[in-house]
Coordinates of all heavy atoms in Angstrom, one line a residue:
L460 N 31.1 -64.1 2.5 CA 31.2 -65.2 3.5 C 30.4 -65.0 4.7 O 29.8 -65.9 5.3 CB 32.7 -65.5 3.9 CG 33.6 -66.2 2.9 CD1 35.0 -66.2 3.3 CD2 33.1 -67.6 2.6
A461 N 30.3 -63.7 5.1 CA 29.5 -63.4 6.3 C 28.0 -63.2 6.1 O 27.2 -63.3 7.0 CB 30.0 -62.1 6.9
A462 N 27.6 -63.0 4.8 CA 26.2 -62.8 4.5 C 25.4 -64.1 4.5 O 25.9 -65.2 4.2 CB 26.1 -62.1 3.1
A463 N 24.2 -64.0 4.9 CA 23.3 -65.1 4.9 C 22.0 -64.8 4.2 O 21.7 -63.6 3.9 CB 23.0 -65.5 6.4
A464 N 21.1 -65.8 4.0 CA 19.8 -65.6 3.4 C 19.0 -64.6 4.2 O 19.0 -64.6 5.5 CB 19.1 -66.9 3.3
G465 N 18.4 -63.7 3.6 CA 17.7 -62.6 4.3 C 18.5 -61.4 4.6 O 17.9 -60.4 5.1
D466 N 19.7 -61.4 4.2 CA 20.6 -60.2 4.4 C 20.6 -59.3 3.2 O 20.5 -59.7 2.0 CB 22.0 -60.6 4.6 CG 22.3 -61.1 6.0 OD1 21.3 -61.1 6.8 OD2 23.4 -61.6 6.3
M467 N 20.5 -58.0 3.5 CA 20.9 -57.0 2.5 C 22.3 -56.5 2.8 O 22.6 -56.2 4.0 CB 19.9 -55.8 2.5 CG 20.4 -54.6 1.5 SD 19.3 -53.2 1.7 CE 17.8 -53.7 0.9
I468 N 23.2 -56.5 1.8 CA 24.6 -56.1 2.0 C 24.7 -54.6 1.7 O 24.3 -54.2 0.6 CB 25.6 -56.9 1.2 CG1 25.5 -58.3 1.6 CG2 27.0 -56.3 1.3 CD1 26.3 -59.2 0.6
A469 N 25.1 -53.8 2.6 CA 25.3 -52.3 2.4 C 26.8 -52.1 2.2 O 27.6 -52.5 3.0 CB 24.8 -51.5 3.5
I470 N 27.1 -51.5 1.1 CA 28.5 -51.3 0.7 C 28.8 -49.9 0.1 O 27.9 -49.4 -0.6 CB 28.9 -52.4 -0.3 CG1 30.5 -52.5 -0.5 CG2 28.2 -52.4 -1.6 CD1 30.9 -53.7 -1.2
A471 N 29.9 -49.3 0.5 CA 30.1 -47.9 0.0 C 31.0 -48.0 -1.3 O 31.7 -49.0 -1.5 CB 30.9 -47.1 1.0
R472 N 30.9 -47.0 -2.1 CA 31.6 -47.0 -3.3 C 33.1 -47.0 -3.1 O 33.9 -47.4 -3.9 CB 31.3 -45.8 -4.2 CG 29.9 -45.8 -4.7 CD 29.5 -44.5 -5.4 NE 28.1 -44.6 -5.9 CZ 27.8 -44.9 -7.2 NH1 28.8 -45.2 -8.0 NH2 26.6 -45.0 -7.6
G473 N 33.6 -46.5 -1.9 CA 35.0 -46.5 -1.6 C 35.5 -47.7 -0.9 O 36.6 -47.7 -0.4
F474 N 34.6 -48.7 -0.8 CA 35.0 -49.9 0.0 C 36.0 -50.8 -0.7 O 35.8 -51.2 -1.9 CB 33.8 -50.7 0.3 CG 34.0 -52.1 1.0 CD1 34.3 -52.1 2.4 CD2 34.1 -53.2 0.3 CE1 34.6 -53.3 3.0 CE2 34.3 -54.5 0.9 CZ 34.6 -54.5 2.3
G475 N 37.1 -51.2 0.0 CA 38.0 -52.1 -0.5 C 38.5 -51.9 -2.0 O 38.8 -50.8 -2.4
A476 N 38.5 -52.9 -2.8 CA 39.0 -52.9 -4.2 C 38.1 -52.0 -5.0 O 38.5 -51.5 -6.1 CB 39.1 -54.3 -4.8
L477 N 36.8 -51.7 -4.6 CA 35.9 -50.9 -5.4 C 36.5 -49.5 -5.6 O 36.2 -48.8 -6.6 CB 34.6 -50.8 -4.8 CG 33.8 -52.1 -4.7 CD1 32.4 -51.9 -4.1 CD2 33.6 -52.8 -6.0
A478 N 37.3 -49.0 -4.6 CA 37.8 -47.7 -4.7 C 38.9 -47.6 -5.8 O 39.1 -46.5 -6.3 CB 38.5 -47.3 -3.4
Q479 N 39.5 -48.7 -6.2 CA 40.5 -48.6 -7.3 C 40.0 -49.1 -8.6 O 40.8 -49.1 -9.6 CB 41.7 -49.5 -6.8 CG 42.5 -48.9 -5.7 CD 41.9 -49.1 -4.3 OE1 41.4 -50.1 -4.0 NE2 41.9 -48.0 -3.5
I480 N 38.8 -49.5 -8.7 CA 38.3 -50.1 -10.0 C 37.6 -49.0 -10.8 O 36.6 -48.4 -10.3 CB 37.4 -51.3 -9.7 CG1 38.1 -52.4 -9.1 CG2 36.7 -51.8 -11.0 CD1 37.3 -53.6 -8.7
G481 N 38.1 -48.8 -12.0 CA 37.5 -47.8 -12.9 C 36.0 -48.0 -13.2 O 35.2 -47.2 -13.1
R482 N 35.7 -49.2 -13.5 CA 34.3 -49.6 -13.9 C 33.8 -50.5 -12.7 O 33.6 -51.7 -12.8 CB 34.3 -50.4 -15.2 CG 34.8 -49.6 -16.4 CD 34.0 -48.3 -16.6 NE 32.6 -48.5 -16.9 CZ 32.1 -48.8 -18.1 NH1 32.9 -48.8 -19.1 NH2 30.8 -49.0 -18.3
L483 N 33.5 -49.8 -11.6 CA 33.1 -50.6 -10.4 C 31.8 -51.3 -10.6 O 31.5 -52.3 -10.0 CB 33.0 -49.6 -9.2 CG 31.9 -48.5 -9.2 CD1 30.6 -49.1 -8.7 CD2 32.3 -47.4 -8.2
S484 N 31.0 -50.9 -11.6 CA 29.7 -51.5 -11.8 C 29.9 -52.9 -12.3 O 29.0 -53.8 -12.0 CB 28.9 -50.7 -12.9 OG 29.6 -50.6 -14.0
R485 N 30.9 -53.2 -13.0 CA 31.1 -54.6 -13.5 C 31.4 -55.5 -12.3 O 31.0 -56.7 -12.2 CB 32.2 -54.7 -14.5 CG 31.8 -54.0 -15.8 CD 32.9 -54.0 -16.9 NE 32.5 -53.3 -18.0 CZ 33.3 -53.1 -19.1 NH1 34.5 -53.6 -19.1 NH2 32.9 -52.4 -20.1
R486 N 32.2 -55.0 -11.4 CA 32.6 -55.7 -10.2 C 31.3 -55.9 -9.3 O 31.1 -57.0 -8.8 CB 33.6 -55.0 -9.4 CG 34.1 -55.7 -8.2 CD 35.0 -56.9 -8.6 NE 35.6 -57.6 -7.4 CZ 36.3 -58.6 -7.5 NH1 36.6 -59.1 -8.7 NH2 36.8 -59.2 -6.5
L487 N 30.5 -54.9 -9.2 CA 29.3 -55.0 -8.4 C 28.3 -56.0 -9.0 O 27.6 -56.7 -8.3 CB 28.6 -53.6 -8.3 CG 29.3 -52.7 -7.3 CD1 28.8 -51.3 -7.5 CD2 29.1 -53.1 -5.9
R488 N 28.3 -56.1 -10.4 CA 27.4 -57.1 -11.0 C 27.8 -58.5 -10.6 O 26.9 -59.3 -10.3 CB 27.5 -56.9 -12.5 CG 26.6 -57.8 -13.3 CD 26.9 -57.8 -14.8 NE 26.6 -56.5 -15.3 CZ 25.4 -56.1 -15.7 NH1 24.4 -57.0 -15.7 NH2 25.1 -54.9 -16.2
L489 N 29.1 -58.7 -10.5 CA 29.6 -60.1 -10.1 C 29.2 -60.3 -8.6 O 28.9 -61.4 -8.3 CB 31.1 -60.2 -10.3 CG 31.6 -60.1 -11.8 CD1 33.1 -60.2 -11.8 CD2 31.0 -61.3 -12.6
I490 N 29.4 -59.3 -7.8 CA 29.0 -59.4 -6.4 C 27.5 -59.7 -6.3 O 27.1 -60.6 -5.5 CB 29.4 -58.2 -5.6 CG1 30.9 -58.0 -5.7 CG2 29.0 -58.3 -4.2 CD1 31.4 -56.7 -5.0
A491 N 26.7 -59.0 -7.0 CA 25.2 -59.2 -6.9 C 24.8 -60.6 -7.3 O 23.9 -61.1 -6.7 CB 24.6 -58.1 -7.8
V492 N 25.5 -61.2 -8.3 CA 25.1 -62.5 -8.7 C 25.4 -63.5 -7.6 O 24.7 -64.5 -7.4 CB 25.9 -62.9 -10.0 CG1 25.8 -64.4 -10.3 CG2 25.4 -62.1 -11.2

């Protein structure tokens, strides 16, 4: 919601729900889309 055109989002592997997700790459794929 905070990101805008021209932004790169920097996110850590331990951020939020990513820390509890075994296959974080699938979640990241959805975020990237």
Side-chain angles (χ1 to χ4, degrees):
L460 285 173
D466 282 357
M467 174 186 288
I468 298 173
I470 189 167
R472 291 174 181 267
F474 174 79
L477 296 181
Q479 288 79 42
I480 294 176
R482 300 301 298 274
L483 65 83
S484 55
R485 294 182 183 177
R486 185 72 176 179
L487 284 165
R488 183 188 294 273
L489 294 176
I490 297 173
V492 168

